[in-house]
Amino acid sequence: MPSFPSWSAFGRTFAITALALGLLCAALILLADPYGRRVAPGRPRPPIMDLNQRYMYPQIVRSGAYDSAAFGTSTIRLLDPEQLNRLFGGRFANLGLNAGTPYEQLQLIDLFLRRVPRPRTLILGLDLPWCEAEADKPEKRFTSRSFPPWLYDEKPWNDLPELFNLRGLEIAARVVLNRVGRLPERIRADGFEVFTPPEASYDLERARAHIWFNRPERRIVPASPAVTMSPAEAERLAMPALAWLDGALAKVPAGSEVILAFLPIHVAAQMQPGSAAEALDQACKERVAALAAKRGATLVDFRRASPVTTDDRNYWDPLHMRLPVAARVADALKAARVTGADAPDGFYRVTVRGRPD
């Protein structure tokens, strides 16, 4: 009769094979450094291969290659760092997080301020969630997208459980495939990516359907009667994210340029004129203005009815401008900082001019 290996021999072979494969995978992850945790000035940076920006950006910050940055959500992502370099000087990264909450953005800002001791220029796009009363609630701090706090701290010992898993192995394999020329890097090294469709494919009617949520009338009707808010009522409003922002700006060293901006979303996404929501938004803008004045920052307000925000041709949807508009926003930020004057055509207002150079 034929002989068969014993179960104990099979078990030993299986265990040894599994251990060898596990060690091989662990070695691949450690050598590939998929999230750039070991990146530092003077050290080569692995290619950016993750699909989640929250995992991508820490290695860009740690690289030491950038002394300036644009922070915010997807509404700031089309500002090209190369254009910002020409306008402001320095070396910019674009670190806009898709749907980034104020809390998530501040983790990134804090990491940048720890790793870049003397930043040259910081630009922060402020969207509506900065004004929310519940921004500090646990469910409001993060989105459904995974956020890795361990990539934002200075404790390498807590990385190991997060690295040795299927996700870490997948990204490590992507890094290897990039090294051998089989996969392109996920985004440009400075964080820039054109995430909107190609400009050549722009379809105005399709864009209008998105901008106006298929409302055929496509117009803004002011609330009547208009709602007003007294200074005392505005003072009582809870806006915890702005307190966090104040704390972050307090860490910015003297001599660094800070520009805060309410970005130009389409009027269809702005608050209804005369509504309680608009009164709340105005109270938020006034509080941000006080904060900017306190910290010597420039505050530019594009989030208003203007020839740009009322023209459907400038947008893909209510929140996302087209590339030529993004280039115009970058130019406008520079002009606002230099002149301290409002745009002649009403595109923006300079609510607070920062300290002179």
Side-chain angles (χ1 to χ4, degrees), residues 140-317:
K140 291 286 189 176
R141 294 191 178 209
F142 301 103
T143 69
S144 59
R145 298 168 174 85
S146 176
F147 186 90
W150 54 277
L151 278 178
Y152 292 77
D153 63 26
E154 306 299 336
K155 304 171 184 175
W157 55 266
N158 69 354
D159 296 356
L160 297 181
E162 308 294 343
L163 286 171
F164 298 126
N165 52 39
L166 289 177
R167 181 192 180 96
L169 181 61
E170 177 190 354
I171 305 307
R174 288 173 174 269
V175 170
V176 172
L177 289 172
N178 173 268
R179 295 299 196 198
V180 298
R182 300 299 299 272
L183 270 182
E185 191 163 12
R186 174 68 180 80
I187 57 173
R188 214 165 73 186
D190 59 10
F192 182 66
E193 177 189 22
V194 178
F195 66 96
T196 53
E199 283 292 324
S201 71
Y202 184 77
D203 182 327
L204 178 57
E205 289 309 311
R206 184 175 182 180
R208 279 177 169 155
H210 291 295
I211 292 166
W212 294 100
F213 305 102
N214 290 312
R215 298 203 306 267
E217 67 276 11
R218 294 206 297 261
R219 61 192 181 94
I220 303 296
V221 179
S224 181
V227 176
T228 59
M229 185 178 295
S230 70
E233 290 173 320
E235 183 65 27
R236 288 194 296 268
L237 293 171
M239 297 180 186
L242 296 186
W244 297 341
L245 178 59
D246 186 36
L249 295 183
K251 300 175 186 176
V252 178
S256 298
E257 187 73 47
V258 177
I259 300 174
L260 308 177
F262 297 112
L263 292 167
I265 59 177
H266 192 280
V267 289
Q270 295 180 33
M271 301 307 180
Q272 180 189 21
S275 67
E278 186 192 47
L280 175 62
D281 190 45
Q282 185 57 38
C284 177
K285 288 184 175 183
E286 290 172 2
R287 197 170 294 185
V288 173
L291 189 159
K294 174 184 175 183
R295 299 300 178 188
T298 296
L299 175 60
V300 187
D301 185 6
F302 297 92
R303 196 169 75 209
R304 54 201 308 274
S306 75
V308 171
T309 61
T310 56
D311 189 340
D312 298 346
R313 294 171 297 179
N314 290 325
Y315 291 86
W316 290 98
D317 58 46

Side-chain angles (χ1 to χ4, degrees), residues 13-41:
T13 302
F14 180 84
I16 291 170
T17 302
L19 178 61
L21 286 174
L23 291 174
L24 181 63
C25 290
L28 174 64
I29 291 170
L30 287 175
L31 290 173
D33 190 18
Y35 306 115
R37 193 62 171 86
R38 298 193 301 272
V39 169

Side-chain angles (χ1 to χ4, degrees), residues 72-83:
T73 66
S74 58
T75 58
I76 205 169
R77 284 189 65 202
L78 293 181
L79 268 63
D80 191 335
E82 293 180 354
Q83 181 185 8

